[in-house]
């Protein structure tokens, strides 16, 4: 019953995080009253059955009472999570402070993270000295972004505990919202970051108090320790990984290393996992056990006063707690600490409790302390892996025989460990496929290589290096320890890197419905039954629907268009029954790009394995910036551009200083007006640019460099005509090009104008495009503007948006609606947004 109560607490927290709106207190109170009345009713029935000597009736009533108790616990947990969420929602940024300069005073409470061109850190807004009150409309907990070039000019440095007075430009926490993608807004909300402020001008340091709070002290200690370690590992290839193993700071780990870790399934080893916390706690507990047994006071052993096991358990918990704080108090660390905490209480109280009860109770404690823990994928992967480990480990027995040699015992342990690793890998396949749409096939081999070395060699050396780095005068010792740790990690990564890039190293699956996941979980439970249970192999076959799932194909003549939310840039996926076209590749996003971070994951989730045709309308960075990452992640059969693609990729490789050449599409063509092809009764036609105009403009650019023709004017314009509806993708053409298209009667077929039911608003809704004549000619039903939230161009222009709405067209914006999908079929045109389909109470998209 205790496990069911703990799971009810977790279930209530999970249920809250799936709601679009928080429940009202009146509804919760009504549910609580109903449950209490039901409890009273069954209690009275139970009393009457005892009085009337009806044991069978009494037993049935007991089951109902247990169900009512679980519902009561669920209701109370629901009320608790709702109350916590309402408090956090109330602390939000008001509209009058958004995108304007506000002068505040704040204290740095988190570690300073280097994002390449900027520094980010969490702060707490302080009251204004004159009034003693916090500024109205500004949240208490925010994240500050400071340009690195400006921040490095401060002579004081930036550390936790400092109090600054600064001018900030605030905006709401916002991320891209695409099909089956990571919800960045949920991530920020779970961390209680309620606004993001960019520094303007020169902030003034008011004071510094490194011991003002526990959070400040821990963050300051972590940052000081990170800086001490960087002095020894900063120039090493995997130096950032060593820092991550010691203190959990993963922001400096290179993107190419994360790619290797993800493809081989060893990400859990390069973060603070339960094994690291347990190992350190066990070392501290055993050390205290050895010391306490030998400690004496006035000729009397200390163990006579307090048992050595009790002291060792308390010491292990204290060390685990300190290390979890130093590691950032992440979900795996919290799960491990509370499991150790519950196990310690059980040991001290000598109560019989199973491992599954410990796991369930730890999950309940984690969700009660942080109701948003289930939002993180690490919550499910961490508890799921440990549950499989406990269940399988309880059934496995390593044969022990005193007559066995040391080598035979080692071989038995190795076989048992290998079998356990294989079972855990297979058991986690459905969850990994559901969450990431990608499963590493080389994970068992990579883990077999990396687990022993990283767990028992690299991690202890990294922790020892961190400890020695704090002691003055031992820089040489710390440097030698860092060298040995990096050498072991470097040699380990050689075979792991090879496994990451072997052909078919990972299995890509489409985003599956929830019933596939549930069916797989039932199959895993059945397959992991003890030997002797008949047809256990049937359980493994129940994983096949999850691993082979494919979305329902479109009918012939139908098409689906998805305008992705990539910020201030363009990326449109067009699918027919058997083909996929991508129009533009999105912008470059700092050190990465939209092709790798947004487009490729969405394509994989849709079940797309390769792109049949790629169209890059023009070479501007907001439309072609995502090409390097996209071409690395997804094969492309043919590409159409209005510029020299090979020259563009060579220039991009030089600017980004990429070590390896950028992958090229198999074929490359110019997007000439009049060029067309058909897929599944859907016709694709380029309407612009005209080849003659391109040649003339090229000559003009060479002769008159001061009057260069912008690349926007040469954008590829693609017209899509299915059996039932049509769509137009005009790139960034301007009003002049729009009128030229109309004057050339490009939009006429046998004298009748061609309708464009769906139109991507040209140039993101700039005033230089979308003329009244152009809009009225198309007769559009749905206009989609791909724009970034609070972009510096103020796209879309209000007059352009009103111009489209005046024709009774529905106007969609990706900064407000997220990714927008239009699906043409025989039953009609259906248009929907991700903001509506995936709406959660923390989303603030007005």
């Amino acid at each position: 019953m205790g496990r069911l109560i703990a799971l009810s607490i977790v279930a209530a927290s999970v249920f809250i995080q799936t709601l679009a709106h928080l429940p009202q207190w009146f509804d919760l109170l009504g549910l609580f009253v109903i449950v209490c009345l039901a409890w009273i009713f069954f209690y009275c029935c139970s009393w009457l059955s005892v009085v009337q000597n009806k044991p069978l009736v009494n037993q049935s009533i007991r089951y109902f009472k247990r169900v009512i108790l679980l519902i009561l616990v669920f209701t109370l947990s629901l009320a608790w999570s709702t109350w916590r969420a309402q408090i956090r929602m109330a602390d939000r940024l008001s509209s009058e402070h958004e995108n304007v300069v506000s002068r505040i005073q704040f204290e740095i409470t988190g570690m300073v993270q280097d994002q390449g061109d900027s520094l980010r850190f969490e702060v707490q807004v302080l009251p204004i000295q004159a009034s003693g009150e916090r500024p109205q409309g500004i949240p208490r907990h925010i994240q500050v972004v400071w340009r690195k070039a400006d921040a490095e000019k401060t002579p004081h440095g930036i550390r936790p505990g400092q109090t600054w007075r600064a001018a900030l430009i605030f905006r709401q926490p916002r991320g891209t919202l695409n099909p089956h993608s990571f919800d960045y807004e949920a991530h920020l909300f779970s961390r209680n970051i309620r606004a993001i402020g960019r520094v303007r001008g020169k902030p003034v340091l008011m004071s510094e108090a490194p011991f003002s709070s526990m959070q400040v002290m821990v963050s300051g200690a972590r940052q000081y320790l990170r800086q001490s370690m960087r002095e020894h590992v900063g120039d090493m290839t995997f130096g950032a990984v060593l820092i991550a193993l010691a203190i959990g700071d993963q922001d400096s780990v290179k993107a190419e290393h994360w790619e290797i870790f993800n493809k081989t399934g060893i990400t859990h080893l390069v973060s603070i996992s339960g094994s690291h916390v347990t190992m350190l706690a066990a070392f501290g507990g055993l050390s205290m056990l050895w010391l306490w047994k030998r400690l004496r006071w006035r000729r009397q052993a200390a163990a006579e006063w307090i048992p050595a096991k009790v002291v060792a358990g308390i010491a292990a918990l204290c060390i685990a707690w300190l290390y979890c704080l130093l590691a950032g108090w992440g979900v795996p660390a919290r799960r491990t600490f509370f499991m150790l905490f519950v196990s310690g209480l059980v040991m001290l109280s000598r109560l019989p409790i199973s491992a599954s009860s410990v796991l369930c109770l730890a999950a309940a404690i984690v969700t009660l302390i942080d109701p948003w823990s289930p939002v993180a994928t690490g919550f499910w992967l961490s508890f799921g892996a440990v549950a499989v480990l406990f269940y399988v480990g309880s059934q496995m027995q390593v044969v022990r025989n005193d007559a066995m040699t040391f080598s035979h015992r080692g071989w038995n342990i190795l076989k048992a460990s290998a079998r356990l690793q294989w079972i855990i890998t297979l058991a986690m396949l459905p969850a990994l496929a559901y969450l990431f749409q990608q499963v590493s096939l080389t994970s068992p081999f990579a883990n077999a290589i990396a687990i022993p070395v990283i767990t028992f060699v690299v991690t202890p050396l990294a922790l020892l290096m961190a400890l020695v780095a704090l002691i003055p005068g031992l820089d040489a010792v710390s440097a030698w320890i860092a060298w040995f740790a990096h050498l072991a990690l470097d040699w380990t990564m050689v075979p792991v890197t090879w496994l990451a890039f072997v052909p078919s190293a990972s299995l890509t699956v489409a985003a599956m419905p929830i019933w596939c996941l549930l069916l797989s979980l039932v199959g895993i439970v059945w397959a992991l039954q003890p030997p002797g249970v008949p047809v256990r192999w049937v359980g493994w076959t129940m994983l096949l629907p999850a691993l082979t799932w494919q979305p329902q194909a479109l009918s012939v003549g139908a098409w689906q268009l998805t305008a992705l939310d990539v910020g201030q840039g363009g990326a449109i996926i067009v699918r027919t029954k058997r083909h996929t076209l991508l129009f533009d590749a999105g912008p470059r996003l700092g050190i990465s790009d939209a092709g790798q971070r947004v487009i490729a994951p969405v394509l994989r989730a849709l079940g797309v394995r390769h792109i049949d045709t790629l169209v890059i309308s023009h070479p501007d960075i907001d439309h072609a910036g995502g090409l390097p990452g996209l071409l690395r992640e997804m094969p492309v059969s043919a590409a159409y551009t209005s510029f020299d693609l090979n020259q563009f990729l060579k220039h991009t490789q030089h600017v980004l200083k990429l070590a390896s050449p950028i992958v090229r599409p198999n074929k490359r063509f110019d997007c000439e007006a009049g060029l067309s092809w058909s897929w599944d009764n859907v016709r694709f036609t380029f309407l612009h640019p005209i080849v003659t105009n391109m040649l003339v403009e090229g000559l003009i650019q060479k002769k008159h460099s001061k009057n260069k023709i912008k690349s926007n004017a040469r954008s590829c314009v693609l017209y899509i005509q299915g059996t039932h509806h049509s769509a137009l993708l005009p790139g960034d053409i301007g009003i002049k090009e729009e009128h030229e298209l109309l004057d050339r009667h490009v939009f006429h077929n046998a004298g009748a104008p061609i309708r464009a039911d769906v139109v991507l608003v040209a140039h993101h809704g700039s005033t230089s495009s979308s003329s009244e004549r152009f809009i009225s000619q198309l007769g559009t039903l749905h206009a989609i503007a791909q724009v970034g939230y609070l972009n510096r161009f103020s796209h879309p222009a209000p007059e352009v948006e009103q111009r489209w709405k005046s024709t009774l067209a529905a106007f969609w914006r990706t900064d407000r609606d997220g990714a927008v999908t239009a699906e043409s079929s025989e039953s009609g045109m259906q248009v929907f947004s991700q903001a509506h389909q995936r709406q959660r109470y923390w989303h603030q998209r007005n």
Side-chain angles (χ1 to χ4, degrees):
M1 192 64 184
R3 285 173 292 190
L4 292 177
I5 291 175
L7 292 178
S8 298
I9 295 173
V10 176
S13 179
V14 173
F15 177 72
I16 281 290
Q17 312 315 328
T18 62
L19 298 179
H21 304 283
L22 290 173
Q24 300 295 322
W25 281 110
F26 180 80
D27 298 331
L28 292 175
L29 181 61
L31 179 61
F32 178 78
V33 171
I34 293 173
V35 173
C36 290
L37 292 176
W39 175 266
I40 294 173
F41 171 77
F42 282 108
Y43 182 83
C44 294
C45 292
S46 177
W47 179 78
L48 288 175
S49 64
V50 172
V51 173
Q52 297 177 2
N53 194 19
K54 296 181 178 180
L56 294 179
V57 175
N58 188 32
Q59 185 176 3
S60 300
I61 292 176
R62 286 181 182 177
Y63 288 119
F64 282 108
K65 287 173 62 177
R66 291 178 181 178
V67 173
I68 295 298
L69 177 61
L70 293 178
I71 298 176
L72 180 61
V73 172
F74 181 88
T75 304
L76 294 176
S77 179
L78 202 65
W80 167 258
S81 299
T82 302
W83 178 66
R84 293 282 304 277
Q86 287 179 343
I87 292 176
R88 187 162 293 187
M89 287 292 294
D91 189 27
R92 60 178 298 177
L93 181 69
S94 61
S95 57
E96 59 265 23
H97 286 289
E98 190 169 23
N99 207 26
V100 297
V101 177
S102 301
R103 290 169 174 81
I104 65 168
Q105 191 167 306
F106 59 80
E107 179 187 28
I108 301 176
T109 58
M111 285 180 64
V112 179
Q113 304 293 348
D114 190 345
Q115 301 295 318
D117 58 345
S118 63
L119 301 179
R120 293 174 180 261
F121 45 89
E122 296 180 23
V123 307
Q124 179 176 313
V125 178
L126 300 178
I128 301 175
Q129 293 182 350
S131 61
E133 297 181 356
R134 185 162 53 88
Q136 294 293 325
I138 297 180
R140 181 181 180 86
H141 301 281
I142 65 174
Q143 183 184 78
V144 173
V145 181
W146 197 344
R147 286 185 65 242
K148 188 175 180 180
D150 298 334
E152 290 177 343
K153 296 178 183 178
T154 59
H156 314 284
I158 305 176
R159 295 180 296 275
Q162 291 178 335
T163 299
W164 293 81
R165 186 174 67 240
L168 304 178
I169 295 183
F170 286 105
R171 66 177 179 86
Q172 299 279 3
R174 187 68 65 91
T176 59
L177 200 57
N178 292 289
H180 314 289
S181 65
F182 175 71
D183 191 345
Y184 186 63
E185 294 175 45
H187 172 69
L188 293 178
F189 188 80
S190 65
R191 292 173 54 189
N192 198 19
I193 296 177
R194 305 298 293 125
I196 297 176
R198 288 189 172 272
V199 174
R200 289 293 181 268
K202 295 182 178 180
V204 179
L205 179 64
M206 305 297 295
S207 62
E208 186 168 1
F211 304 103
S212 59
S213 66
M214 175 63 74
Q215 183 180 2
V216 169
M217 287 191 294
V218 171
S219 299
R222 295 184 70 205
Q223 183 162 324
Y224 179 79
L225 193 57
R226 180 184 64 184
Q227 184 59 36
S228 301
M229 295 181 67
R230 280 180 176 175
E231 295 177 0
H232 303 292
V233 302
D235 298 330
M236 296 180 178
T237 305
F238 296 100
V241 178
L242 295 177
I243 295 176
L245 288 171
I247 62 173
D249 178 37
Q250 303 176 353
D251 287 344
S252 299
V253 179
K254 298 178 181 178
E256 55 266 29
H257 293 160
W258 278 122
E259 182 180 4
I260 295 172
F261 302 149
N262 292 330
K263 286 185 175 181
T264 54
I266 64 169
T267 307
H268 62 100
L269 294 177
V270 295
S271 58
I272 302 299
S273 62
S275 59
H276 299 161
V277 179
T278 305
M279 179 181 62
L280 197 64
F283 176 78
L286 291 174
S287 300
M288 179 57 71
L289 181 67
W290 180 88
L291 179 63
W292 195 259
K293 286 183 177 180
R294 288 157 180 79
L295 190 63
R296 303 184 68 85
W297 175 257
R298 294 181 179 180
R299 297 181 180 181
Q300 190 172 7
E304 296 181 13
W305 295 88
I306 305 177
K309 289 185 178 181
V310 174
V311 177
I314 296 174
L317 285 177
C318 292
I319 292 174
W321 178 67
L322 291 174
Y323 183 53
C324 288
L325 289 179
L326 192 64
W329 199 240
V331 171
R334 275 178 280 171
R335 184 260 304 161
T336 306
F337 172 75
F338 286 117
M339 286 182 63
L340 293 174
F341 179 74
V342 173
S343 300
L345 291 180
V346 169
M347 182 190 69
L348 294 178
S349 59
R350 298 181 180 180
L351 293 175
I353 186 171
S354 62
S356 59
S357 299
V358 172
L359 188 64
C360 292
L361 186 55
I365 295 175
V366 169
T367 51
L368 284 175
I369 295 176
D370 183 7
W372 299 277
S373 295
V375 173
T377 57
F379 177 88
W380 303 102
L381 296 178
S382 177
F383 279 98
V386 174
V388 175
L389 182 65
F390 281 171
Y391 183 75
V392 178
S394 63
Q395 300 178 14
M396 295 180 61
Q397 293 182 357
V398 179
V399 179
R400 294 183 179 180
N401 191 342
D402 295 336
M404 279 187 176
T405 62
F406 179 79
S407 59
H408 285 169
R409 292 179 182 177
W411 176 248
N412 286 336
I413 294 175
L414 182 62
K415 286 195 301 182
S417 300
R419 180 173 178 268
L420 184 61
Q421 180 61 43
W422 272 101
I423 291 176
I424 291 177
T425 301
L426 291 174
M428 298 303 294
L429 275 180
L432 293 172
Y434 182 81
L435 294 171
F436 305 112
Q437 290 81 52
Q438 204 167 26
V439 177
S440 174
L441 300 179
T442 59
S443 173
F445 306 102
N447 277 278
I449 297 171
I451 285 177
V453 180
I454 293 180
T455 302
F456 300 111
V457 179
V458 179
T459 300
L461 288 175
L463 294 172
L464 183 61
M465 176 189 61
L467 180 62
V468 175
L470 298 176
I471 303 176
L474 295 181
D475 292 342
V477 178
S478 183
W480 274 102
I481 297 174
W483 185 84
F484 277 114
H486 187 269
L487 180 65
L489 181 59
D490 193 19
W491 278 96
T492 303
M493 291 305 298
V494 172
V496 171
T497 303
W498 180 82
L499 289 171
F501 295 102
V502 297
S504 303
S506 59
L507 173 67
T508 301
V509 297
M512 69 186 79
I514 189 66
W515 68 263
C516 285
L517 176 63
L518 297 177
L519 180 65
S520 299
L521 296 178
V522 172
I524 289 171
V525 172
W526 180 257
L528 295 181
Q529 293 298 310
V533 176
V535 292
R536 287 188 302 158
W537 58 270
V538 174
W540 297 118
T541 63
M542 298 171 70
L543 273 63
L544 294 178
L547 301 179
T548 60
W549 171 263
Q550 285 295 322
Q552 183 178 1
L554 300 171
S555 60
V556 175
W559 52 263
Q560 183 189 73
L561 181 150
T562 302
L564 298 178
D565 181 8
V566 292
Q568 185 66 17
I572 301 97
I573 299 173
V574 182
R575 301 171 62 215
T576 63
K577 182 178 177 62
R578 291 183 294 268
H579 297 86
T580 301
L581 177 143
L582 178 66
F583 190 90
D584 286 337
R588 187 180 301 155
L589 305 173
I591 60 176
S592 63
D593 56 56
Q596 180 182 19
R597 293 181 54 183
V598 179
I599 301 174
V602 171
L603 287 173
R604 284 195 291 264
L606 295 175
V608 176
R609 301 294 179 267
H610 75 281
I611 300 172
D612 296 291
T613 297
L614 170 66
V615 179
I616 304 298
S617 61
H618 59 296
D620 284 4
I621 200 67
D622 57 337
H623 292 257
L627 264 177
L630 175 69
L631 295 175
R632 185 170 58 250
E633 295 287 333
M634 191 73 58
V636 176
S637 299
Y640 290 85
T641 63
S642 61
F643 54 94
D644 189 337
L645 180 61
N646 291 329
Q647 188 64 32
F648 175 83
L649 294 178
K650 288 180 181 178
H651 176 72
T652 302
Q653 182 178 348
H654 174 72
V655 171
L656 299 180
K657 299 178 181 179
L658 300 177
S660 58
I662 300 176
V663 181
R664 264 57 168 181
N666 296 336
K667 300 177 182 178
R668 185 262 168 188
F669 307 96
D670 291 328
C671 55
E672 305 173 5
L675 181 65
S676 65
W677 70 93
S678 293
W679 287 340
D680 308 315
N681 282 358
V682 179
R683 190 161 189 82
F684 296 81
T685 305
F686 284 115
L687 306 180
H688 188 76
I690 301 297
V691 177
T692 304
N693 290 351
M694 291 176 63
L695 296 176
V696 173
E697 290 169 359
L699 293 174
I700 293 175
Q701 290 185 40
K702 292 181 179 179
K703 293 182 179 180
H704 307 284
S705 59
K706 294 183 179 179
N707 299 316
K708 291 185 177 181
I709 305 297
K710 291 184 178 180
S711 61
N712 292 352
R714 299 194 304 275
S715 293
C716 301
V717 178
L718 183 64
Y719 180 67
I720 305 168
Q721 187 177 16
T723 304
H724 315 287
H725 305 90
S726 58
L728 180 68
L729 309 179
D732 280 1
I733 62 172
I735 293 178
K736 177 184 176 183
E737 289 72 40
E738 292 174 354
H739 290 176
E740 287 178 355
L741 292 177
L742 298 178
D743 293 338
R744 291 197 308 265
H745 303 283
V746 175
F747 290 103
H748 287 73
N749 182 13
I754 300 178
R755 291 178 56 85
D757 300 287
V758 178
V759 174
L760 185 73
V761 178
H763 202 181
H764 316 286
S766 169
T767 55
S768 62
S769 304
S770 301
S771 64
E772 292 185 4
R773 179 187 173 191
F774 185 74
I775 294 174
S776 61
Q777 179 73 57
L778 298 179
T780 303
L781 299 178
H782 298 274
I784 305 173
Q786 286 188 296
V787 292
Y789 176 63
L790 294 181
N791 63 86
R792 61 190 180 95
F793 307 102
S794 298
H795 290 162
E799 56 267 35
V800 172
E801 182 174 351
Q802 184 58 40
R803 203 176 296 161
W804 283 99
K805 289 181 177 179
S806 65
T807 64
L808 302 181
F811 194 85
W812 303 81
R813 302 173 45 157
T814 55
D815 63 335
R816 178 193 63 205
D817 304 307
V820 179
T821 299
E823 186 169 329
S824 168
S825 63
E826 186 178 1
S827 59
M829 172 71 70
Q830 295 182 350
V831 182
F832 55 89
S833 68
Q834 289 299 306
H836 175 73
Q837 285 204 328
R838 298 177 56 188
Q839 185 178 2
R840 297 294 183 269
Y841 66 86
W842 56 77
H843 289 154
Q844 301 176 22
R845 294 174 176 254
N846 300 320

